[in-house]
Amino acid sequence: MDQYDSSMAGESWGAILADYYRAVWKRKWLVLSIFVSVSFLAALYTIRQPKIYEAIATVEIDQQADRILNVSDVHELGSTGYWDSSIYLETQYKIIQSNRVARMVVENLHLDRDLAFLGLANVEDQEKLAEGLEKADPVEIFKKNLQVDPIPDSRLVCIRYRGTDPQLITTIANEVANSFITQNLERKLVSTRNALNWLQEQVRDLREELEKSERALYEFKKANEILSTSMTDKVNLTGSRLEALSSHLSQVEAKYIASKAKMESLETMVSKNSLETVASTELMNDPLIRELKVTISRLENDYTELLKRYKEKHPDVVSVKSKLDEARTGLKREIQNNLSGVRAEHLATQKEVRMINDQLDELKRQAKELTLKESEYNRLMREKDGNQRVYEQVLLRLKEIDLAGMLKANNIRMLDKAKQPALPIKPNVKFNLLIGIFMGILLSISAALGLEMLDNTIKNAEDVKRYLGLPLLGIVPRVKDDPELTKAGVFNIADMFSFYKPKSSVAECCRTIRTNVSFLLPKKDKARLLVTSASPKEGKTTIVSNLAITMANSGKRVLVVDTDMRRPRAHKAFGMDNEYGLSNIIMGTMTQEEAIRRTQVEGLDILTCGPIPPNPAEQIGSERFSQIVDQLGMVYDRIIFDSPPVIAVTDSAILSDIVDGVVLVVKCGQTHRDVAIQAVQNLRDVNANILGTVINDLDLDNKEYGHYYYYYYHRYGYYYGEKENTPEAVNG
């Protein structure tokens, strides 16, 4: 099954290609004329085109300009990042094509006065020349012929300039590169000059600000007597004094507290007269009191011992008691003296504390003032230091930029200068000719196929089957002139070809039609046949006469009735006149026997039209005509009616109702499909029995039509006889 499908597909493609080939071959002269015309026009166009040359200069755009002494420029020529670099390069390409570079080239080369460059070299009229110079825009003319092509994956750029003068375009290409390099450097220098001017102004302003801040700081130091020392030292000294005085105050306050405690203790002791507590106080540190204390203790012991032995009046007791009282009195006196000393020390300490506090308050006041002065001092110092730093930085940058401007480093340089071209790039003769040939082939074949698609005529059996839906009864080849018959005085060659050339392919085709019609007719012994066409001049009369001849040759008695009462022609096919005929019988002026004529073909008679009536359709549709046909049907085996075209008049539709079958004749390559389809529809509307279609006037020399002819008859095993190769067709 797959092999069968592939075989069918191969045959289908082969048939399509064959159709294309036949369509082209059918219009070979048109194809040839279009091909020659297009090729000639391409060659003529190429020859008449001016020779265009192209000069190419190559420049290199580095990432950055070379740095000397590591001094950075104001205007960086280049970029370091990938995306920034890509944008920078694209910008440079646009700058090359900019109006600024164009004006530089025009001015440097004086192109605005170059008549050849402006295209005014051939203008001789001075007024027109002046007008042309006024209207000409050298910048736009220049940019129109300029092309910038970056070399992929590199920083190289090809500057291309095209024109008719090789020497001029070479000069222009080199000047474009030089102008691009120059403007790049000028752009840097302009930026440097602008920066220098701005920085010089800033330096002057910053110098004034610095001097102002220095004066303010000096006035402050002078006012606060810190010219010989710094504010920090003065603040530190005050802090140290404050710290020392605070420490001394602490000591004095401790001494004051101790003296106060000692004083209060002594005052309590004195007030209570409790001398026994002396031993536990600091009074024991006094040697005299310690001695008196020892003496009192010894005397008290002696006194106690004497009382144990003696009475109070005893002299020893009295003596000891007297010494004891004297010692106690001395102790009190010494204690009182110590108390007076302690009180004096306490008062002195208290006074010292007060003095120290006063000094501390003064130092604190001075420290507070110094803090405020230090803040102002620091502000003035910061302002002066800041102004000095900015001034030094700007001054340094000013010197760097001045040095960078003197270096004149550039990141763009000429790599290859343009050389004068020897050969033009346009026109490309070989390419244009090849394109011309290709377009000639394409247009010619397209024209042939287009005309083929526009050709809506019926040409073969496939068209009959596809568009009309009718069986093909046969195909009649085109009849050529026969010198022998012409010499013998036969002029109706096509109509009687089956009679004169019974072994010809035309006669064989007519016999095929006869056989097919016989099988399709409902009555085998007696039958009426209507032969018509869709439109005039399609050869229906030729088919009628040749078909009638082949039927008569088969032994049938045949009658041809010319029912075309508008343009009768059947009498001419048999070499007769049309003085009388069918119309006479209908009108009753002649009998059938009188009107019917015999032909040179045995068994074949003809009833010509006769005088043309004013109302053909009424004549054909009359009851009298039907009676005549019935009477003729009793005499003849086959009656063939030659009727008018279906589309033109209604006669064929009327006749189809009284016949057994209708044969529709179409002329190969001339009958339009729409007309034939309408004819079939008209016949079907009156329920006509359409037996099939006959294709007439097939040109066997035409490979398109002949192919279908041979294919059709080879399928059914027919033999066509000898093929006549005569120069001219005569079918009507």
Side-chain angles (χ1 to χ4, degrees), residues 530 563 620 625 641 643-644 650-659:
L530 174 65
T563 54
I620 296 299
F625 178 77
F641 295 92
S643 71
T650 61
D651 297 8
S652 298
I654 296 172
L655 288 169
S656 64
D657 189 47
I658 61 173
V659 298

Side-chain angles (χ1 to χ4, degrees), residues 99 103 131 247 299 339 579 647:
N99 289 336
R103 282 192 293 269
E131 184 180 355
S247 177
L299 290 174
L339 178 60
E579 292 182 1
I647 299 298

Side-chain angles (χ1 to χ4, degrees), residues 87-103:
I87 294 173
Y88 171 75
L89 291 175
E90 288 294 334
T91 303
Q92 298 307 306
Y93 305 152
K94 299 301 180 184
I95 290 175
I96 298 175
Q97 298 172 302
S98 65
N99 289 336
R100 179 183 178 186
V101 173
R103 282 192 293 269

Side-chain angles (χ1 to χ4, degrees), residues 480-481 700-701 710 722-728:
K480 311 292 183 176
D481 281 340
L700 296 180
D701 293 333
Y710 283 117
E722 297 177 353
K723 180 180 178 183
E724 292 77 17
N725 296 315
T726 50
E728 230 174 272

Side-chain angles (χ1 to χ4, degrees), residues 374-643:
E374 184 183 23
S375 177
E376 180 66 16
Y377 174 82
N378 290 336
R379 185 188 65 78
L380 294 173
M381 196 67 183
R382 286 195 303 270
E383 185 176 350
K384 176 257 182 186
D385 292 341
N387 290 337
Q388 185 171 0
R389 283 194 300 271
V390 174
Y391 173 75
E392 290 174 353
Q393 290 177 357
V394 173
L395 185 61
L396 177 61
R397 186 57 178 161
L398 177 64
K399 293 180 179 179
E400 288 181 351
I401 292 174
D402 191 17
L403 182 59
M406 295 170 62
L407 293 176
K408 295 184 179 181
N410 200 343
N411 68 320
I412 301 174
R413 68 175 186 271
M414 177 82 77
L415 184 65
D416 291 323
K417 287 188 175 182
K419 295 182 180 180
Q420 183 171 326
L423 298 175
I425 62 170
K426 291 182 180 181
N428 190 333
V429 178
K430 292 182 179 179
F431 178 77
N432 287 357
L433 290 180
L434 288 176
I435 290 296
I437 293 173
F438 173 76
M439 292 302 297
I441 294 174
L442 181 64
L443 291 176
S444 59
I445 293 177
S446 299
L449 296 179
L451 291 175
E452 182 66 18
M453 294 177 64
L454 294 175
D455 185 3
N456 63 347
T457 60
I458 294 178
K459 299 178 286 294
N460 49 59
E462 291 182 2
D463 291 345
V464 171
K465 181 179 180 181
R466 181 186 306 171
Y467 301 109
L468 303 183
L470 298 175
L472 180 65
L473 300 177
I475 300 174
V476 178
R478 178 173 294 181
V479 177
K480 311 292 183 176
D481 281 340
D482 191 310
E484 295 180 359
L485 295 177
T486 303
K487 188 176 181 179
V490 178
F491 298 102
N492 55 342
I493 299 174
D495 298 327
M496 300 293 290
F497 204 79
S498 297
F499 175 72
Y500 294 118
K501 299 286 184 176
K503 293 184 178 181
S504 65
S505 59
V506 175
E508 187 64 31
C509 290
C510 292
R511 284 191 285 271
T512 300
I513 298 172
R514 177 198 65 189
T515 303
N516 291 333
V517 169
S518 298
F519 278 111
L520 293 173
L521 286 173
K523 298 178 180 179
K524 302 300 182 181
D525 51 348
K526 303 284 186 177
R528 305 168 187 173
L529 184 65
L530 174 65
V531 178
T532 185
S533 62
S535 55
K537 297 183 179 180
E538 294 186 356
K540 58 180 177 55
T541 302
T542 300
I543 299 300
V544 168
S545 59
N546 283 281
L547 181 60
I549 291 171
T550 57
M551 286 183 174
N553 290 336
S554 65
K556 300 291 184 179
R557 190 173 182 188
V558 182
L559 174 66
V560 174
V561 180
D562 190 354
T563 54
D564 188 351
M565 292 187 171
R566 289 173 174 81
R567 297 182 62 183
R569 187 180 170 277
H571 61 281
K572 294 181 180 179
F574 291 94
M576 299 178 182
D577 55 45
N578 193 34
E579 292 182 1
Y580 59 91
L582 177 61
S583 58
N584 298 100
I585 299 176
I586 295 174
M587 298 301 295
T589 58
M590 294 183 69
T591 62
Q592 297 178 10
E593 292 76 7
E594 293 174 341
I596 294 174
R597 310 181 194 184
R598 295 188 179 277
T599 67
Q600 59 266 50
V601 180
E602 185 178 355
L604 175 59
D605 296 339
I606 180 173
L607 179 58
T608 60
C609 173
I612 297 176
N615 51 350
E618 286 75 3
Q619 296 287 336
I620 296 299
S622 64
E623 184 66 25
R624 174 61 180 162
F625 178 77
S626 298
Q627 294 174 358
I628 294 171
V629 172
D630 291 339
Q631 293 173 2
L632 294 174
M634 299 173 62
V635 179
Y636 293 95
D637 299 322
R638 298 285 186 269
I639 301 176
I640 303 175
F641 295 92
D642 183 5
S643 71

Side-chain angles (χ1 to χ4, degrees), residues 24 264 271 283 290 346 353 373 442 456 459 461 479 548 566 580 582 658 667 670 672 712:
V24 173
E264 290 176 353
S271 63
L283 294 176
R290 188 168 56 248
H346 175 68
V353 168
K373 291 179 180 180
L442 181 64
N456 63 347
K459 299 178 286 294
V479 177
R566 289 173 174 81
Y580 59 91
L582 177 61
I658 61 173
K667 193 169 186 178
Q670 292 190 22
H672 292 278
Y712 176 78

Side-chain angles (χ1 to χ4, degrees), residues 64-184:
Q64 286 184 327
D66 296 334
R67 286 194 175 184
I68 302 174
L69 301 177
N70 198 27
V71 176
S72 60
D73 294 327
V74 175
H75 184 84
E76 289 290 343
L77 300 178
S79 181
T80 56
Y82 174 77
W83 293 111
D84 293 339
S85 175
S86 177
I87 294 173
Y88 171 75
L89 291 175
E90 288 294 334
T91 303
Q92 298 307 306
Y93 305 152
K94 299 301 180 184
I95 290 175
I96 298 175
Q97 298 172 302
S98 65
N99 289 336
R100 179 183 178 186
V101 173
R103 282 192 293 269
M104 291 176 65
V105 175
V106 170
E107 291 174 0
N108 293 340
L109 299 180
H110 308 291
L111 297 178
D112 53 340
R113 298 193 297 272
D114 191 329
L115 298 181
F117 174 79
L118 298 175
L120 301 173
N122 298 325
V123 179
E124 297 180 357
D125 190 343
Q126 294 300 318
E127 292 183 0
K128 292 184 178 180
L129 180 60
E131 184 180 355
L133 287 172
E134 184 179 355
K135 292 182 179 180
D137 188 349
V139 172
E140 290 301 323
I141 296 174
F142 165 82
K143 290 175 64 177
K144 183 173 62 177
N145 297 316
L146 178 65
Q147 183 177 350
V148 177
D149 289 331
I151 299 177
D153 301 325
S154 72
R155 295 185 180 276
L156 301 180
V157 182
C158 292
I159 299 175
R160 306 174 184 270
Y161 197 84
R162 296 178 178 181
T164 57
D165 188 343
Q167 183 177 0
L168 178 60
I169 64 171
T170 304
T171 304
I172 292 176
N174 289 326
E175 184 59 32
V176 172
N178 291 329
S179 298
F180 173 54
I181 295 171
T182 301
Q183 70 82 30
N184 190 66

